[in-house]
């Protein structure tokens, strides 16, 4: 879930992640975007990198997928949907689904003052009209305009 949020992954992109797409030595992940989006290499933050290393240290298999189920198979979309729903319910939230994490990533970037073009590339959008949605509600982008 952390990687889905931090990298704005769609559920299919997350379940399709392979070990060879993660470079632990350089703390980078190759995000292979789907839906005709632009793929890109992204940095992995320190806490996320440590979590990935801890997780991989528990695995003895040589399977290519980064995330596997207890049955040794890649996660399915429905399994991730189920886990998200259960996590949301235990947090007292309703209608939580994996795509909420992608939207949360977009809103976080917009509220952090990341420029539109960088957000567009990070999320893999070919057309900026899909990225603009996140900036429309970012009121903080107007702060400081007249402070000079």
């Amino acid at each position: 879930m952390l990687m889905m949020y931090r990298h704005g992954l769609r559920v299919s992109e997350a379940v399709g992640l392979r070990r060879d797409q993660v470079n632990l030595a350089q703390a980078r992940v190759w995000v292979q975007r789907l839906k005709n989006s632009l793929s890109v290499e992204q940095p992995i933050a320190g806490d996320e990198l440590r979590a990935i290393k801890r997780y991989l240290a528990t695995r003895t298999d040589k399977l290519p997928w980064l995330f596997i189920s207890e049955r040794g198979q890649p996660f399915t979309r429905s399994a991730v949907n189920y886990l998200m729903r259960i996590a949301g319910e235990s947090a007292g939230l309703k209608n939580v689904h994996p795509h909420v994490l992608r939207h949360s990533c977009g809103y976080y970037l917009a509220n952090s003052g990341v420029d539109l073009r960088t957000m567009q590339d990070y999320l893999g959008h070919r057309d900026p009209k899909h990225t603009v949605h996140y900036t429309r509600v970012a009121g903080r982008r107007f702060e400081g305009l007249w402070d000079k």
Side-chain angles (χ1 to χ4, degrees), residues 73-141:
Q73 296 297 312
F75 272 101
T76 62
R77 289 175 50 89
S78 60
V80 175
N81 282 320
Y82 171 78
L83 290 171
M84 285 289 301
R85 183 173 55 78
I86 296 303
E89 287 173 2
S90 25
L93 304 170
K94 294 185 189 301
N95 302 319
V96 175
H97 51 86
H99 211 70
V100 166
L101 296 174
R102 180 169 168 82
H103 289 310
S104 297
C105 176
Y107 288 121
Y108 172 82
L109 295 173
N111 287 324
S112 297
V114 174
D115 67 275
L116 183 68
R117 181 70 178 148
T118 300
M119 286 176 53
Q120 179 184 348
D121 289 346
Y122 194 82
L123 294 170
H125 294 154
R126 286 192 183 272
D127 190 330
K129 74 179 178 187
H130 300 293
T131 315
V132 166
H133 171 74
Y134 299 113
T135 63
R136 294 212 190 272
V137 295
R140 285 199 277 176
R141 65 192 168 124

Side-chain angles (χ1 to χ4, degrees), residues 4-18:
M4 290 176 69
Y5 169 69
R6 289 256 176 96
H7 302 284
L9 299 175
R10 296 175 177 95
V11 68
S12 296
E13 295 166 349
V15 299
L17 268 176
R18 300 169 61 89

Side-chain angles (χ1 to χ4, degrees), residues 54-86:
R54 279 192 309 271
Y55 165 68
L56 289 174
T58 67
R59 291 190 36 195
T60 57
D61 62 85
K62 298 294 181 203
L63 296 170
W65 303 287
L66 182 59
F67 301 112
I68 58 171
S69 69
E70 68 273 358
R71 294 186 183 134
Q73 296 297 312
F75 272 101
T76 62
R77 289 175 50 89
S78 60
V80 175
N81 282 320
Y82 171 78
L83 290 171
M84 285 289 301
R85 183 173 55 78
I86 296 303

